[in-house]
Amino acid sequence: MQKKLGLPESQIAKARDLAVQITKPVINFIDAHTTTAVERAALRLVGVDGADSNGVPVSNIIIDQLRGKLEGGALRWYVNALLRTGQSPEAMNVQIANGHKLTEHPLADQMAIEAKGTELANQYLARICSNRQHREEKLEQFIGNNHDPLLYAIVATGNIHEDVKQAQAAAWQGADVIAVIRTTAQSLLDYVPYGATTEGFGGTYATQENFRIMREALDKSSEQLERYIYLTNYASGLCMPEIAAMGALERLDMMLNDSMYGILFRDINMYRTFVDQKFSRMINAYAGIIINTGEDNYLTTSDAVEKAHTVLASQFINERFALEAGLLPKQMGLGHAFEIDPDIKNGFLFEVAQAQMAREIFPEAPLKYMPPTKFMTGDIFKGVVQNAMFNFASKLTNQGIHLLGMLTEAIHTPHMQDRGLALDNAKYVMNNMADLGSEITFRRDGVIVKRAHRVLTETIEFMESVASIGLMESMEQGAFADIKRPRDMGKGLDGLIKKGSDYWNPIEKAIAVK
């Protein structure tokens, strides 16, 4: 990759060192704790599935049974019940849904429990490995057939079967990535609904069956188009690890999976979120899933010019947390957005500076670039121009994942024809300037270069401040996105558990970074 900004490598290295300092105390906290969502995810990865007659998932029933006994991990009790009864996970799940209590069984020999638990874990991890191999084989088979950057479209009907129709239509129109938007506020549910769903507001419930249905449909489109169609959903909210587990089992390819988004924008407790994000990212790393982070959201509440440095700082912090969880740089779809006020003089140059800077600092990351939303007014003609400029900036700076800008943004959820027009816009602009990025350089004393150097300097100053007082303290003070979140408040705090000396989770052990 051609470096055009002349950013000092010493400053970039310093920022990464600061990210280590900032995240280390948080990682120490994470490693000493588990959560109810982590335990539910682990249960799902040894065979727990299904729901009772009221729709309560079996994984939630088990956790409710084990309140006060989770310091050692939930799997010990589930595997123990399998050993004591000689039943399969499928049969045991039915019994639990019908009221069977795991605590009725005295604990068997720990070595026997660990042997059985490891056996079950290996079965499900083998399925995830098989999914990863299948994806890699298909990407190799269809190599060169996807757009660069990948063109990312959303579907959000509320009905998974209608989503399938819209997703397949988008794939035929040229989309490389389909994101199934979750129904409004699902991130605040502390359980995962069971089965296929046909009702949702602003999106469709994320369930394992819905994942399976969409994956099957997009695989058919992939074969017909001879282009791999990536499937995306949201490993975020109060069920972050569980969604990651379900995505790994059903071969999703990307997951929105930020380290701080839920704290800032959904008021989920920071302790809970930090613990959940690590285990969810460990699963994504093992499954070969690309994560998408949420820095674009900062610019919905903060000014994109004044607070650009907080976006870059968050990218450094997200990168550090991702590395700690075992994710490779090629799996880090670090986020940012085209959200500068269009009335600012040279705003486009500032935007190019930010995008090029991210590209040069994170050269292996498939950067996820978000379109204009904050300053879309409902004027569709101006919107087309704004999206064309966004498409231009994305291709010029070699972004990796390009979320389509919609001319009807700020009016309604996109129709299929809106998506088609957005794809036509992106393909036209990007095809006509395919090699422009390698043809041009930037003036050393020009607006773009000066802007990038300034933002990097401000980022280091900001990260030094965060390192001096701590990440959690900084979030309490509103350092990110101008939003203040107390550490001892927020949703889900009651699901935080300090690990006991006998804590056992064979999934965590098997997928941990060696």
Side-chain angles (χ1 to χ4, degrees), residues 459-478:
T459 298
I460 291 172
E461 292 170 354
F462 175 73
M463 293 180 74
E464 287 174 334
S465 173
V466 173
S468 69
I469 65 173
L471 180 58
M472 294 187 187
E473 291 83 351
S474 297
M475 298 180 79
E476 287 184 312
Q477 295 177 16

Side-chain angles (χ1 to χ4, degrees), residues 482-501:
D482 294 325
I483 297 172
K484 296 180 180 180
R485 295 300 186 200
R487 71 177 70 199
D488 58 352
M489 295 180 67
K491 304 170 184 71
L493 177 58
D494 59 342
L496 181 73
I497 303 143
K498 186 172 178 57
K499 291 178 180 177
S501 59

